[in-house]
């Protein structure tokens, strides 16, 4: 890689928070970011398909046990509702800041039962960006802006004076 495309890490100011499977490659979309996104998308879709197969085997076990059509419908409805709730909660966690969404502690059992919905939300989000990148980027840019304001607002700060001279 040439020096022009490489981004030197800026050690002054706040550090970006790492994202699972991506580390801090989401900041400049370097270090195999595209391949990682594709891997996360394919992996989450494959895991959702494997989970659906496992659930199908469980449902066949209920059919073999002849528990009745009411219980079969109830189990399918339970997994469908839990998957829908898990999809929505996971999507919100990946797209909205923590302050704007309710705590996930109360819904942990729903997320566990509806794991297919969570995996599908991860898949859909990985098609657009690294899951959680938008939230992390907004937080990081806000921290950087706050840091720059603090640094340039100080009187007698030579670093802030140099930055102003270069811009103006």
């Amino acid at each position: 890689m040439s020096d022009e495309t490489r981004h030197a890490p800026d050690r002054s100011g706040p550090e970006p928070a790492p994202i699972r499977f991506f580390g801090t490659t989401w900041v400049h979309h370097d270090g195999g970011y595209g391949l990682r996104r594709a891997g996360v998308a394919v992996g989450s879709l494959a895991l959702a398909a494997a989970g659906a197969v496992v659930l199908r085997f469980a449902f066949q076990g209920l059919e073999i046990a002849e528990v009745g059509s009411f219980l079969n419908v109830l189990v399918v409805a339970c997994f469908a509702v839990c998957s829908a709730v898990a999809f929505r909660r996971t999507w919100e966690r990946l797209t909205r800041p923590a302050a704007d969404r309710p705590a996930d502690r109360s819904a942990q059992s729903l997320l566990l039962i509806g794991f297919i919905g969570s995996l599908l939300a991860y898949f859909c989000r990985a098609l657009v960006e690294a899951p959680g990148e938008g939230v992390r980027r907004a937080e990081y840019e806000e921290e950087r802006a706050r840091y720059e304001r603090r640094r340039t607002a100080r009187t007698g700060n030579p670093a802030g004076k140099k930055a102003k001279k270069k811009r103006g």
Side-chain angles (χ1 to χ4, degrees), residues 16-88:
I19 297 177
R20 183 182 304 170
F21 306 122
F22 294 91
T24 57
T25 61
W26 59 269
V27 177
H28 299 294
H29 293 184
D30 58 354
Y33 172 81
L35 290 174
R36 290 175 192 220
R37 257 187 54 204
V40 165
V42 169
S44 61
L45 189 61
L47 286 173
V53 168
V54 169
L55 287 179
R56 178 67 185 143
F57 287 144
F59 186 72
Q60 283 178 342
L62 289 175
E63 287 178 345
I64 291 170
E66 296 178 1
V67 293
S69 61
F70 176 72
L71 188 58
N72 288 339
V73 169
L74 192 63
V75 167
V76 169
C78 173
F79 276 105
V81 168
C82 288
S83 289
V85 169
F87 181 93
R88 183 171 173 261

Side-chain angles (χ1 to χ4, degrees), residues 36-166:
R36 290 175 192 220
R37 257 187 54 204
V40 165
V42 169
S44 61
L45 189 61
L47 286 173
V53 168
V54 169
L55 287 179
R56 178 67 185 143
F57 287 144
F59 186 72
Q60 283 178 342
L62 289 175
E63 287 178 345
I64 291 170
E66 296 178 1
V67 293
S69 61
F70 176 72
L71 188 58
N72 288 339
V73 169
L74 192 63
V75 167
V76 169
C78 173
F79 276 105
V81 168
C82 288
S83 289
V85 169
F87 181 93
R88 183 171 173 261
R89 291 242 181 195
T90 303
W91 188 265
E92 286 178 357
R93 185 172 50 87
L94 297 174
T95 57
R96 290 175 38 193
D100 295 346
R101 56 185 155 83
D104 286 334
R105 281 275 190 229
S106 62
Q108 281 185 338
S109 57
L110 285 173
L111 293 173
L112 184 63
I113 294 169
F115 67 97
I116 292 177
S118 291
L119 290 169
L120 291 177
Y122 234 76
F123 167 73
C124 292
R125 200 65 205 161
L127 294 177
V128 178
E129 65 182 8
E133 179 183 347
V135 173
R136 296 282 169 93
R137 188 170 300 281
E139 291 171 355
Y140 177 62
E141 288 174 357
E142 182 180 324
E143 287 176 15
R144 293 286 302 170
R146 206 174 20 233
Y147 171 77
E148 289 297 325
R149 280 194 307 269
R150 276 194 325 260
R151 198 180 90 164
T152 57
R154 287 188 223 147
T155 58
N157 182 1
K161 290 178 182 178
K162 288 179 186 174
K164 283 184 180 180
K165 286 180 183 176
K166 288 180 183 178

